[in-house]
Amino acid sequence: RSAALARMAEAGGAAPALDRPCRAMVALLIALFANAVAMASPFPFAPFLVLHYGLTDDRAEIGYYGGFILSAFMLGRAMSSYHLGLLSDKHGRVLVIEIGLLSCIIFQLLFGLAPTFGAALAARLLMGLFNGIIGVAKAMLPELVTAAQQPRAMSAISGMWGLGNVAGPALGGLLYGVPLFAGVDAPALLPTSLGAGLALAAR
């Protein structure tokens, strides 16, 4: 898939519009799906992580702390989106997508293994900080398809992002607390490992 995307690395990351969907478009959609799963999988289990870390026993405060876990990713994205956009213009879209997928692999695993609330926040923040996939995907679209195909391609991008936002919480809710390794006290490791595997496959 990276080879398909790498065709765009020529001429500063631009490629001529194609007359039909290509493997690069498919690779981009898979990357978007993996990214959405990485972002959304903690939604159902963030409150349980708060309890796991022993931050509070007050039910009213669980959502407060859980909100930090969920928003850390988007905070990281907000801090870096502009700079990653400049990087993609200068060095090509493929580089930024590869960095984003690597962040989904590395920091998802670190998030799943995080021993403290602070470490979990740092992992989510860093995953967002190095992740510019969704913005670059929209900029990449005109370089992959003809003008006539762009409305359908944009629908595919939105649809795949939405599908990942459905699959991510479903996997997170189903797999949280299922032990991956005996003796490892990391209840979020299985869903985050699966998400990291999806990002690895997207590369």
Side-chain angles (χ1 to χ4, degrees), residues 61-171:
E61 293 182 353
I62 292 174
Y64 172 79
Y65 289 108
F68 283 103
I69 294 175
L70 300 181
S71 61
F73 176 87
M74 298 308 294
L75 176 61
R77 276 193 56 192
M79 292 168 62
S80 64
S81 291
Y82 175 76
H83 302 287
L84 289 174
L86 292 179
L87 183 66
S88 74
D89 287 339
K90 185 175 182 180
H91 296 287
R93 318 292 187 208
V94 177
L95 175 63
V96 174
I97 289 177
E98 287 286 350
I99 292 172
L101 288 173
L102 280 173
S103 78
C104 288
I105 297 168
I106 295 169
F107 295 117
Q108 267 193 107
L109 291 175
L110 291 177
F111 174 63
L113 290 168
T116 64
F117 179 70
L121 282 184
R124 290 283 292 176
L125 179 68
L126 289 169
M127 185 166 69
L129 196 65
F130 289 96
N131 196 314
I133 293 176
I134 184 63
V136 169
K138 294 177 180 179
M140 208 172 178
L141 188 64
E143 301 163 355
L144 291 176
V145 299
T146 63
Q149 293 169 334
Q150 285 180 25
R152 182 175 294 180
M154 182 59 75
S155 297
I157 285 177
S158 299
M160 190 60 76
W161 181 257
L163 183 62
N165 275 283
V166 172
L171 293 172

